[in-house]
Amino acid sequence: MPLHKRDAMNGKRILLIIGGGIAAYKACELVRLIRKQGAEVTCVLTDGGAHFVTAMTLAALSENPVHTTLWDLKNEVEMGHIQLSRQADLIVVCPATADLMARMAAGIADDLATTLLLATDKPVMAVPAMNVRMWQHAATMRNVATLRSSGVTVLDPDDGMMACGEYGPGRLPEPDAVLAAIASHLDSQRAKGPLTGKHILITAGPTHEPIDPVRYIANRSSGKQGFAIAAAAAQAGAKVTLVAGPVNLPTPPGVTRIDVETARQMSAAVDAALPADIAIMVAAVADWRSAGEANQKIKKDGSGHVPPLELVENPDILASLCKSARRPPLVIGFAAETNDVLAHAKAKLARKGADWIVANDVATHKMGGEINALHIVSATGIESLGEMSKDAAAVALVQRIADVLA
Ligand code: CTP
């Protein structure tokens, strides 16, 4: 169903925190777009932000007072900062600079913006914008992961030419795209969908199993089907935790994402995310990892001798979850097969102890593609959904889940 922005946004209150980056000028346009959808905007301008746009501009566009400091006696008497942080339906940090996200991730509260972000009990969305190297820096990646795992929706920046002349990810998404993400977030909060009140835990993507610091064992999973299921589940009102292997996909709105690399990390993240009402294990977990990960790059020794690669089996996350005392009431596994698809899926259902195995034929629909034909195999029989886009397949699967819960 197409999202009608105005339906989702009319009458909502957005607290917009403007960080100190050149992309701050786009926040002015965002204020205008949000207001056009019938929502109210209150702006908080950081000291850095004030170097790029003025409080006057934001006050005129929002038709609301602009807050700039913790130490404003008049503001504090009329509207304490705690109250300011609680009266919004959504807090949007745009642009979210590397520094602002670092302080958010660390729980620092040394100005009005970070104090509001620490004091709030409302959902927070951050829209990053920074130089490509700053975005890709391990410290920023860590901070983004921390924020995401604590429930902040961090949008992915756009790719492209930056104000500083470099090229790559780090550009603020266009105001229209930010508006769409805000509408979608508010819509998912509003959605009293069939999965409202349910916590759904999803794994997606491949895992990477290191051989040495530069080589790893991987597979062709793109993560698209798992991410589409996470999006559809959030859209249906569920609280969604998505444990994602290394993929190149944006986080669906309203979804809490935990990034992992190896099967063992995925297993630990699944454990930490419990309890859940429903688990959907879509990830193509590597069955084996190297028995002895070298801590230095393995070199050719010139003799033509090939180094041995001994493998050990990874933990079976799905099978362990099914056996665990904290087993969710509905556990769904996936089976990507190249032959005898349904027979393998039936065998897997019994072997793993899942309630359903969703099978797909990766000989016909190659891993990483856009199309899937899913077969839901359960104790009661097999339902084949037919060939469709991964997004449509996700919506259909979520509908089946809602049907059995009803
Ligand atoms: N799975 C898992 N942990 C593993 C391997 C698989 O959680 N170590 C899950 C997958 O996420 C999927 C299901 O188990 O939901 C089936 O995965 P698949 O790779 O098809 O099954 P395998 O157990 O690896 O069986 P086989 O290699 O024999 O096909």
Side-chain angles (χ1 to χ4, degrees):
M1 200 175 49
L3 170 65
H4 294 291
K5 291 193 197 80
R6 195 171 177 93
D7 287 352
M9 296 187 65
N10 196 17
K12 296 289 182 186
R13 288 162 304 181
I14 310 288
L15 186 70
L16 180 63
I17 295 176
I18 296 123
I22 177 62
Y25 78 92
K26 290 190 187 171
C28 301
E29 175 66 2
L30 183 62
V31 172
R32 210 180 59 78
L33 293 177
I34 294 171
R35 296 207 60 217
K36 247 172 94 180
Q37 301 301 330
E40 200 194 313
V41 189
T42 302
C43 294
V44 172
L45 186 59
T46 63
D47 287 350
H51 285 283
F52 295 93
V53 295
T54 69
M56 181 65 85
T57 310
L58 295 166
L61 290 169
S62 66
E63 295 186 78
N64 258 328
V66 173
H67 303 265
T68 53
T69 170
L70 258 181
W71 314 116
D72 182 331
L73 194 55
K74 181 165 172 285
N75 265 347
E76 207 51 33
V77 169
E78 283 175 6
M79 156 88 70
H81 59 265
I82 301 285
Q83 199 189 338
L84 188 58
S85 79
R86 304 272 171 88
Q87 64 162 20
D89 295 293
L90 176 67
I91 300 186
V92 178
V93 186
C94 177
T97 60
D99 172 70
L100 191 45
M101 287 196 296
R103 289 189 290 139
M104 286 166 74
I108 290 171
D110 60 355
D111 64 359
L112 180 62
T114 48
T115 303
L116 294 174
L117 287 161
L118 202 60
T120 190
D121 58 357
K122 291 301 186 308
V124 177
M125 174 184 287
V127 192
M130 66 197 71
N131 168 271
V132 54
R133 298 264 174 258
M134 292 171 80
W135 171 251
Q136 289 172 337
H137 196 285
T140 304
M141 291 290 102
R142 262 197 318 272
N143 292 330
V144 168
T146 302
L147 291 173
R148 283 179 172 156
S149 65
S150 51
V152 175
T153 301
V154 183
L155 300 191
D156 287 305
D158 274 357
D159 251 10
M161 187 58 88
M162 329 216 89
C164 54
E166 287 185 39
Y167 192 91
R171 277 168 58 95
L172 192 86
E174 286 310 312
D176 259 327
V178 179
L179 180 76
I182 292 172
S184 164
H185 198 290
L186 290 170
D187 189 61
S188 66
Q189 282 174 23
R190 179 185 68 128
K192 284 278 169 275
L195 298 181
T196 300
K198 300 289 178 197
H199 177 209
I200 306 199
L201 171 58
I202 299 172
T203 64
T207 63
H208 285 179
E209 309 295 334
I211 295 170
D212 66 16
V214 297
R215 304 177 179 94
Y216 57 84
I217 302 170
N219 60 62
R220 295 188 190 278
S221 168
S222 64
K224 283 180 203 156
Q225 187 63 78
F227 273 59
I229 294 169
Q235 198 66 42
K239 167 178 176 316
V240 180
T241 305
L242 175 62
V243 180
V247 294
N248 188 15
L249 293 172
T251 310
V255 167
T256 301
R257 171 176 179 170
I258 299 159
D259 285 316
V260 297
E261 199 171 307
T262 66
R264 283 176 296 172
Q265 289 166 359
M266 186 172 275
S267 176
V270 164
D271 231 42
L274 292 172
D277 300 290
I278 301 154
I280 314 176
M281 307 279 99
V282 196
V285 184
D287 289 317
W288 304 285
R289 66 175 184 275
S290 167
E293 182 192 340
N295 50 21
Q296 288 186 330
K297 185 181 169 193
I298 302 169
K299 304 290 288 177
K300 292 194 287 289
D301 64 7
S303 69
H305 171 75
V306 179
L309 178 60
E310 199 192 325
L311 300 176
V312 289
E313 203 165 307
N314 266 327
D316 191 319
I317 303 167
L318 173 61
S320 325
L321 182 65
C322 288
K323 283 195 214 96
S324 117
R326 297 201 294 163
R327 183 194 196 279
L330 179 62
V331 179
I332 302 172
F334 264 66
E337 308 287 353
T338 55
N339 56 293
D340 303 319
V341 177
L342 296 179
H344 281 315
K346 280 189 212 156
K348 234 163 241 184
L349 186 70
R351 179 156 53 84
K352 304 248 182 184
D355 299 298
W356 303 354
I357 290 286
V358 179
N360 61 318
D361 181 347
V362 286
T364 315
H365 300 106
K366 298 261 181 290
M367 265 180 149
E370 302 298 332
I371 303 288
N372 236 348
L374 302 181
H375 308 275
I376 302 176
V377 180
S378 70
T380 59
I382 298 172
E383 186 192 356
S384 297
L385 296 181
E387 196 170 274
M388 56 186 90
S389 72
K390 287 186 171 175
D391 287 341
V395 170
L397 180 64
V398 165
Q399 185 58 54
R400 297 307 181 280
I401 294 170
D403 290 347
V404 298
L405 294 183

